[in-house]
Amino acid sequence: MSAEAALEPPPPSLADRLNPEGAPAQPLPIAVARLALIGAPNCGKTALFNALTGARQKVANYAGVTVERKEGAITAADGWRARVLDLPGTYSLRARSPDEVVTRDAVLGRLQGEAPPDVLVCIADATNLKGALRLVLELKQVGRPMVLALNMFDIAERQGWRIDLEGLSRELGVPVVTTVATRKRGVDALLAAVQGVARGPAARSSEVVWREPGPVELRTAHREAERIRKACVALPARPDTLTGKLDSVLLHPVFGSVILLGLLFLMFQAVFTWAQPLMDLIKAGFDHLGVLVGQTFPPGLLRSLISEGVISGVGSVLVFLPQILILFLFIIVLEDLGYMARAAFLMDRVMGGAGLHGRAFIPLLSSFACAIPGVMGARVIDNKRDRLTTILVAPLMTCSARIPVYTLIISAFIPNRTVWGVASLQGLVMFGLYAAGIVSALSVGFVIRKLFWRGAAEPFLMELPAYKLPDPKNVLMGVWTRAKIFLTRAGTVILAMMVLIWFLSSTPSAPPGALGPAINYSFAGLLGHAMEPLLAPIGFTWQMAVALVPAMAAREVAVAALGTVYAVQGGEDAVGPLAGVLHAHWSMASALAMLAWFIFAPQCASTLGVVKRETNSWKWPAIMFAYMTALAYAAAFLTFHIARAAGA
Amino acid sequence: MLKRLQDSPVRSTLAAPVHMSGGVAPLGWGARGFRGVVTSVGAGGATRGASGLESSELERRLLEIGFVEGARIEILHEGALGGDPIAVRIDDARVALRRREADSVLVQVEAGRLRPRRNLAA
């Protein structure tokens, strides 16, 4: 905690403090240098950041943009202190994605609300120096003090690369150190080199010169990098042959796709089966808490707010934490392995057919757990239009919050019998709902591309990194960072939303002696009744309409809301009796229409909130809400009328 | 001996794999195992604006990812559907890209064959 507090006050820049002319009269605080880590994706930058700062990290967003800002504190053995900024990975300063723009502007000192770094630490994968040398040459133009860290040096040694460190340092004009971030090797040497350049004379160039290189400059940089590489690096005696061998299986047109499907299957199993015990535990915990509050507080508005608004509201979202953690565990492990680029390669043609980028595959996959990580994950896509398309279709993927709703309606209306000898009819309907989600996401992507953003397809151009064993500690830290982001959101935005929806569902309270459940008399009830004429053409009763209001908090709240509306005691635990009640009250056509509605409806206020944050405008959540509602209405309308015509 | 194929009408009529030894061909035409040395990047002629980017922007991106005159390249893998995208070794790095963009990289062919691509003339 104290380490984080120490990060708060922005210290004067090191350059100012070293400036003899402008030296202030009062004694200076202990010098805190600002370091910025910069490097290509997959160079082990985050691992080095973790090795440097340990748990002393703070994750937030850069001012005004939704790019993750990771900062940490270092205190060297001699008391020297520094703040380290882990900049988003980039191959060059010619930024294209919002993340790369942040990196460029931070390096150039143009980033709003961010003091320019005193020392740049450029990190290179020691086994893949060519591209890194070009980045170093480009960064040199910026004129800030810089240190080059050759990371993953153990792998380079094992492969027998011979790198002339002194020669490299002489050619580049910057200190060069070797590091093995995962084992914290070379961290002290790196810090010593950083201190050396920070105290050096070069620490004072306030006017930064850099301009975007054109093709001619790029070719010159290539030649220069190649010259330096030839002069200082001898090709490895035992080059990495494993990556090639693995790729011939994992990128094989047939086996590669089969393995990818197998991995996806495993991932789904993990997300939906392994998470279950933990989810039950969390749910039981919140239920227990609710009961405790019920016993402690006298009946009334306050008790209702705490137990129904706060506890069950936040609990209904927090229950997804295990799924989100398992999902991110898979994603981070596969990413660190180097497999995600292969998955994008294998899926590019399929995604491309729908007007989506190969990289949209991962965000859309995440959306099966929850659209929120999916929308956030779309950041990996450089092109703005491709990113927006991905964000707009992500909520169509069947998120796990729909499962309780689907399960309830299916168990109430779909007979549990076996078809074609093997498959269960209920299972088939569930599968059909998932398939409908996927097909609709791809179709909407296709329509957006064809109708609105014609032409201008972003090229699919990406590095396939060498395979590496993920470092367990870094994986866990990555998962923990995600967990913190999710928990923060559940504690702020989602909590506020839940309280609002609780308010709508519980006020005004039912008059004394009123018949029927209290929600009928609330704003939500009024809204439900008001919406009834609108929803009647798609076969929804007013009870269904009322349930849709609190379901804006999270889709699965619809189950509890239906329980409330039909005055079934026990809420979500009472799926059995509730299914019976629904069976008695709804027609088959209405039930199917409800299923169709939930495939498309934007029934999740938090997703809309995240879309607003990610796109920095209310325009896109509004568009998302409009198109999804229209689709949901149309789908439910068609389903209802076709089912009724068929006699259901 | 095949001459600069991107200037020839043969492209739209290729019906069978063409074995090559020597000559210059766009990278986007190669089949698995196609290898050689890059002679020109972002020539533009081969793309006919098929890629969504301005040709200078595409040229810069190709250069940034490592396609530069003189680089040794080989097509390592082809996607399952229509052989697209392709995985290419550039010196000692690996890069994935679509054939549409790969068309802007011209290669002095050392070995390998071309893929039949009949539907691209449109």
Side-chain angles (χ1 to χ4, degrees):
Chain A
M1 276 297 111
S2 61
E4 292 201 1
L7 290 175
E8 286 308 331
S13 90
L14 193 65
D16 291 345
R17 273 171 275 124
L18 293 174
N19 177 357
E21 297 94 36
Q26 72 269 35
L28 286 166
I30 306 162
V32 179
R34 270 186 308 270
L35 317 185
L37 304 189
I38 179 167
N42 310 306
C43 71
K45 187 168 57 64
T46 300
L48 190 60
F49 177 69
N50 289 342
L52 283 169
T53 62
R56 299 168 65 189
Q57 310 184 352
K58 213 172 63 164
V59 182
N61 272 346
Y62 288 96
V65 284
T66 57
V67 174
E68 213 163 80
R69 181 184 186 278
K70 284 169 80 182
E71 195 185 55
I74 307 179
T75 309
D78 60 357
W80 179 82
R81 285 166 59 201
R83 303 197 300 166
V84 194
L85 202 54
D86 183 16
L87 294 174
T90 189
Y91 294 99
S92 80
L93 290 182
R94 216 170 64 78
R96 289 181 298 260
S97 70
D99 288 31
E100 290 171 0
V101 167
V102 162
T103 301
R104 180 196 66 200
D105 290 350
V107 167
L108 298 180
R110 288 182 196 161
L111 202 58
Q112 200 194 344
E114 201 74 48
D118 299 312
V119 180
L120 296 178
V121 179
C122 184
I123 299 151
D125 174 354
T127 63
N128 188 9
L129 270 180
K130 221 175 131 191
L133 288 177
R134 273 183 285 138
L135 180 61
V136 174
L137 291 173
E138 192 176 11
L139 288 171
K140 281 269 295 171
Q141 294 175 21
V142 175
R144 293 194 192 285
M146 181 164 54
V147 175
L148 172 63
L150 302 184
N151 195 29
M152 306 198 252
F153 201 69
D154 54 338
I155 299 175
E157 280 177 328
R158 211 177 310 136
Q159 290 178 6
W161 289 84
R162 278 182 296 119
I163 303 172
D164 172 9
L165 297 173
E166 276 174 31
L168 202 56
S169 174
R170 202 168 46 241
E171 289 282 359
L172 295 170
V174 300
V176 178
V177 295
T178 63
T179 55
V180 182
T182 49
R183 278 185 247 142
K184 295 198 174 187
R185 241 173 67 188
V187 168
D188 293 336
L190 172 61
L191 288 181
V194 167
Q195 291 183 57
V197 296
R199 292 181 185 124
R204 294 214 43 212
S205 73
S206 51
E207 206 48 48
V208 163
V209 279
W210 175 85
R211 61 185 195 84
E212 197 168 278
V216 179
E217 286 97 332
L218 285 171
R219 286 190 171 86
T220 314
H222 255 293
R223 273 196 297 276
E224 178 66 2
E226 188 60 14
R227 185 188 66 74
I228 295 175
R229 192 183 67 85
K230 278 192 177 138
C232 305
V233 182
L235 287 176
R238 295 169 295 279
D240 168 29
T241 52
L242 183 67
T243 297
K245 282 178 196 156
L246 280 173
D247 268 348
S248 58
V249 180
L250 295 177
L251 292 184
H252 187 276
V254 180
F255 304 134
S257 312
V258 170
I259 290 169
L260 177 63
L261 285 179
L263 272 172
L264 295 186
F265 180 76
L266 185 71
M267 200 157 134
F268 271 93
Q269 282 296 309
V271 165
F272 294 116
T273 324
W274 305 354
Q276 203 53 51
L278 277 170
M279 293 173 77
D280 291 345
L281 205 67
I282 292 176
K283 203 172 138 13
F286 274 95
D287 288 350
H288 187 72
L289 208 62
V291 170
L292 215 64
V293 167
Q295 288 163 350
T296 319
F297 289 86
L301 214 57
L302 182 67
R303 183 171 97 178
S304 168
L305 168 67
I306 295 175
S307 72
E308 278 143 43
V310 177
I311 295 178
S312 65
V314 172
S316 69
V317 177
L318 273 192
V319 86
F320 294 109
L321 183 64
Q323 288 192 336
I324 289 181
L325 290 188
I326 291 178
L327 184 79
F328 274 113
L329 180 68
F330 266 85
I331 289 177
I332 292 173
V333 166
L334 291 179
E335 182 80 60
D336 286 4
L337 263 174
Y339 184 75
M340 278 310 188
R342 273 76 183 181
F345 176 88
L346 291 168
M347 292 305 293
D348 180 63
R349 190 61 188 258
V350 177
M351 308 294 289
L356 291 160
H357 194 269
R359 286 201 189 170
F361 174 64
I362 309 306
L364 292 186
L365 195 64
S366 314
S367 303
F368 278 116
C370 175
I372 293 171
V375 169
M376 286 163 57
R379 287 176 191 169
V380 296
I381 304 164
D382 300 341
N383 181 272
K384 191 173 175 219
R385 289 176 166 183
D386 282 337
R387 195 166 54 246
L388 274 173
T389 314
T390 308
I391 288 174
L392 285 177
V393 303
L396 288 172
M397 306 302 270
T398 305
C399 68
S400 52
R402 287 178 176 95
I403 295 174
V405 182
Y406 286 174
T407 313
L408 171 68
I409 299 177
I410 287 175
S411 68
F413 290 92
I414 310 296
N416 188 12
R417 59 183 162 87
T418 308
V419 284
W420 306 320
V422 279
S424 107
L425 184 61
Q426 292 189 335
L428 275 180
V429 172
M430 191 63 134
F431 177 80
L433 292 168
Y434 267 87
I438 297 170
V439 169
S440 61
L442 296 182
S443 317
V444 170
F446 182 78
V447 170
I448 292 175
R449 167 65 70 198
K450 284 290 163 213
L451 274 152
F452 303 107
W453 294 332
R454 295 165 66 173
E458 180 73 356
F460 176 78
L461 197 60
M462 60 190 264
E463 199 184 7
L464 298 171
Y467 290 103
K468 287 184 189 81
L469 267 186
D471 177 56
K473 210 163 55 202
N474 283 309
V475 170
L476 288 180
M477 280 186 90
V479 173
W480 173 232
T481 307
R482 298 290 123 197
K484 271 201 293 197
I485 293 172
F486 180 76
L487 289 174
T488 316
R489 189 164 299 113
T492 53
V493 186
I494 296 178
L495 177 63
M497 217 89 80
M498 294 300 169
V499 171
L500 176 71
I501 287 162
W502 162 83
F503 175 78
L504 290 177
S505 314
S506 60
T507 42
S509 52
L515 294 172
I519 195 172
N520 290 356
Y521 301 92
S522 68
F523 290 122
L526 295 177
L527 214 57
H529 282 290
M531 288 195 306
E532 196 195 353
L534 273 175
L535 296 179
I538 61 174
F540 286 13
T541 61
W542 69 264
Q543 288 98 333
M544 292 161 91
V546 169
L548 291 184
V549 178
M552 280 304 294
R555 290 175 173 92
E556 94 278 17
V557 176
V559 173
L562 284 170
T564 316
V565 175
Y566 287 106
V568 174
Q569 294 304 309
E572 278 183 64
D573 294 330
V575 165
L578 182 56
V581 172
L582 294 189
H583 193 76
H585 282 79
W586 296 4
S587 70
M588 179 63 133
S590 289
L592 293 178
M594 187 76 157
L595 285 178
W597 171 269
F598 266 91
I599 296 175
F600 299 102
Q603 286 284 33
C604 176
S606 351
T607 301
L608 295 171
V610 170
V611 171
K612 194 262 156 189
R613 240 192 41 163
E614 292 292 308
T615 57
N616 234 337
S617 122
W618 281 109
K619 181 179 157 199
W620 296 106
I623 290 175
M624 177 185 276
F625 187 82
Y627 100 81
M628 288 182 75
T629 308
L631 272 183
Y633 196 89
F637 184 86
L638 284 176
T639 308
F640 180 65
H641 287 278
I642 291 170
R644 223 171 39 168
Chain B
M1 178 92 164
L2 285 158
K3 288 187 296 172
R4 293 175 70 88
L5 273 166
Q6 78 277 15
D7 297 323
S8 110
V10 85
R11 178 179 199 203
S12 54
T13 53
L14 279 174
V18 175
H19 291 270
M20 295 206 57
S21 56
V24 173
L27 175 62
W29 295 23
R32 193 177 168 189
F34 175 94
R35 60 183 161 83
V37 176
V38 174
T39 59
S40 146
V41 179
T47 64
R48 292 192 210 117
S51 173
L53 296 176
E54 263 182 65
S55 61
S56 141
E57 176 62 22
L58 179 62
E59 179 181 357
R60 287 198 280 183
R61 296 219 191 162
L62 289 167
L63 285 166
E64 279 167 353
I65 203 130
F67 288 103
V68 65
E69 287 79 1
R72 304 194 59 82
I73 56 153
E74 177 182 354
I75 297 183
L76 297 172
H77 304 282
E78 297 176 319
L81 301 170
D84 204 16
I86 51 175
V88 180
R89 188 172 54 72
I90 313 174
D91 293 330
D92 41 14
R94 284 171 208 79
V95 163
L97 75 167
R98 291 186 188 143
R99 291 187 179 271
R100 197 170 54 183
E101 275 79 45
D103 278 349
S104 295
V105 177
L106 297 185
V107 178
Q108 176 71 47
V109 185
E110 288 177 353
R113 52 196 181 79
L114 298 182
R115 250 185 101 79
R117 294 170 79 195
R118 271 153 294 181
N119 54 349
L120 275 170

